[in-house]
């Protein structure tokens, strides 16, 4: 499965967002994802398996718990692919940052 097929799913993206903050047990992930998406434990487990099989997440046993972590190598591949497109938006983001800074300076001087 192509990386963007994996990342295109909102449940899988949310799981990766959770894992980006550090390791999480499968139970913790299930709790959050069930609350936010209203899907079953088995559906969350299936999404975790897809992330694992595609190389975006890893799992290790900790007693009876399964602890998941993000796998940065696969995300670096996506970042490398996106790199060729950054030239389209970086100048606009730089210009936005300049305008935000100007607005902050202007507000400080008005106070």
């Amino acid at each position: 499965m192509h990386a963007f097929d994996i990342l295109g799913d909102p449940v899988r993206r949310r799981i990766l967002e959770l894992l980006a903050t550090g390791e999480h047990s499968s139970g913790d992930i299930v709790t959050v994802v069930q609350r936010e998406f209203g899907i079953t434990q088995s559906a969350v487990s299936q999404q975790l398996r897809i992330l694992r099989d595609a190389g975006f997440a890893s799992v290790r046993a900790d007693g009876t718990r399964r602890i998941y972590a993000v796998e940065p190598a696969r995300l670096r591949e996506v970042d490398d692919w996106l790199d060729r497109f950054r030239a389209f938006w970086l100048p606009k983001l730089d210009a936005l940052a300049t305008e935000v800074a100007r607005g902050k300076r202007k507000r400080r001087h008005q106070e």
Side-chain angles (χ1 to χ4, degrees):
M1 195 177 281
H2 189 274
F4 288 105
D5 292 330
I6 301 295
L7 299 175
D9 182 85
V11 172
R12 291 190 288 263
R13 281 195 315 270
R14 180 62 177 123
I15 292 169
L16 285 173
E17 288 169 0
L18 291 170
L19 296 178
T21 66
E23 294 182 330
H24 288 279
S25 70
S26 57
D28 292 342
I29 295 168
V30 167
T31 298
V32 171
V33 173
Q34 278 184 322
R35 183 180 66 240
E36 294 179 9
F37 292 91
I39 62 175
T40 66
Q41 181 273 330
S42 62
V44 176
S45 294
Q46 179 182 2
Q47 299 306 320
L48 285 167
R49 186 176 64 250
I50 291 169
L51 287 170
R52 212 176 47 242
D53 291 349
F56 283 95
S58 62
V59 64
R60 66 179 172 80
D62 182 25
T64 59
R65 297 175 4 151
R66 297 292 173 253
I67 307 298
Y68 283 83
V70 75
E71 280 296 323
R74 189 75 161 126
L75 290 172
R76 273 193 292 276
E77 290 174 22
V78 172
D79 187 54
D80 289 345
W81 186 86
L82 286 170
D83 196 44
R84 68 184 89 175
F85 300 101
R86 282 191 175 83
F88 293 112
W89 67 73
L90 282 180
K92 292 175 176 72
L93 290 174
D94 290 342
L96 176 61
T98 299
E99 290 303 316
V100 168
R102 282 183 187 151
K104 286 180 182 178
R105 278 194 307 274
K106 185 177 178 181
R107 278 192 301 258
R108 274 193 304 246
H109 293 301
Q110 291 175 346
E111 293 175 356

